[in-house]
Every structure is written in structure tokens, then in C-alpha cells.
Amino acid sequence: MPGITIGDTVPNLEVETTHGKFKLYDYFNNGWTIVFSHPADFTPVCTTELGKMAAYLPEFEKRGVKLLGFSCDDVQSHKEWIKDVEAYTPGCKVTYPIVADPSREIIKQLNMVDPNERDSSGNQLPSRALHIVGSDNKIKLSFLYPATTGRNMDEVLRAMDSLLKASKYKVATPANWKQGDPVVISPQVSNEEAKQVFPQGFETKNLPSGKEYLRLTNV
Ligand code: BEZ
């Protein structure tokens, strides 16, 4: 996908949202933020996604992570749409801001445009893009889904937990990892260093190659 991606700094754009106007860095406030776009207001899959994000908000907040939605309609439309979202997912409250971007200028700069989706007037629409932005305002992870595939918020939370783990320890998380499972020690860490930094110990898997690169620990 052309445009900003993993490792790039998010530009400090001024955005108009359901919570008023602000600059992105003021909202990020040197913390982790999940920014996620939706093709349009009052569309079925997006309505389910916004509600699920609201339902998961307490989990993100526990981890010190903020949410910021994007859709290309205006603020008034977003406010009307939120009523539908909250009715569809009972108990959820959309307390996170949603950016309005009728001109598509912001979604283009954030690389959230779907090359294939257009509205009835031929205007480009956002894809289901999601960037996890770190406390240094850089993108740490990006998902890009087409309009036809709603996102799995369990996976968003799982990926967030993996990023937080890897930001704290010199580890990576293996396939299908979930919170509480063993993690792998980064290949850059020697066994000597691993003994120091993981005093709880680690297990080196015995593999046919004889290479001792798959080392598991619990953090
Ligand atoms: C939806 O959110 O349901 C949707 C939006 C754009 C195209 C297709 C589906």
C-alpha cells in the first residue's frame, strides 16, 4: 500500500471530530493510539465495527490505549450515526472521537483510502484501515481490510498486547499467541544476555537444524 506505513511518523494534522477540532499529537499525547477508518456512515458493517470498538474500549483503556475513528462524512452525520451504533450494540457508548473528512484529504495523508470503493458520486472512500500508533507518533502496525470484511476486535486487542509486550521486553510473540502464553526471545539477544534479563529462565527448543534460535520464556 503506497503512503505512510509501519515505521513512518503520522503527520500532526488538524482534524475536525465529534469531540471538536484538535491536532493529532495533542490527542495522542505521547501515548499509544489506534486510528481506524470506515468507508462511510450509515453502512451496515461499519455500524457493527464502531459498536464493537466501543465495547472493547474498557480493555484498551486498561492498557492506556486511546481510540480515534475516521469516516468521510461530516460531524453532524457522525453524531446521528452514533445513535444507530449504540442502538445496534446495546450497552456500548461511542465515547471516542470520530474524525470527519468529507474532502478525503486526511484519509489520503494517512494512507487509508480504498482504491476500489467509491460512493454514488464517484468519490473515493476510506478502506477499513487501522494503524496502531506508538508513543513516538510512529506507526507500529497496520491492517488493511476491504469494505466487505469487518475487523475482528479480538485480533486488534491481541496485536496491541503483542506490541506492548515487545516494547517492554526484548521478545516477540509467536503464531496465535495470546496474553499469558510464552513469548520468544529476540534473535539479537545472546544466551548470556538472556540469562541476565530473563532470570525466570528460558527453554531452548531442540530442532533438527541444531540451531538454538527458538527460545521461549514467560514475561
Ligand atoms: C459496510 O460498512 O457495510 C460497507 C461499506 C461500504 C461498502 C460495503 C459495505
Side-chain angles (χ1 to χ4, degrees), residues 59-73:
E59 286 302 319
F60 291 116
E61 283 178 338
K62 261 192 232 164
R63 292 155 174 82
V65 176
K66 289 183 182 168
L67 301 181
L68 181 61
F70 286 76
S71 182
C72 61
D73 298 291

Side-chain angles (χ1 to χ4, degrees), residues 39-40 43-47 117 125 128 147-148:
T43 52
V45 177
C46 299
T47 300
E117 286 294 333
L125 289 172
R128 296 188 198 289
T148 48

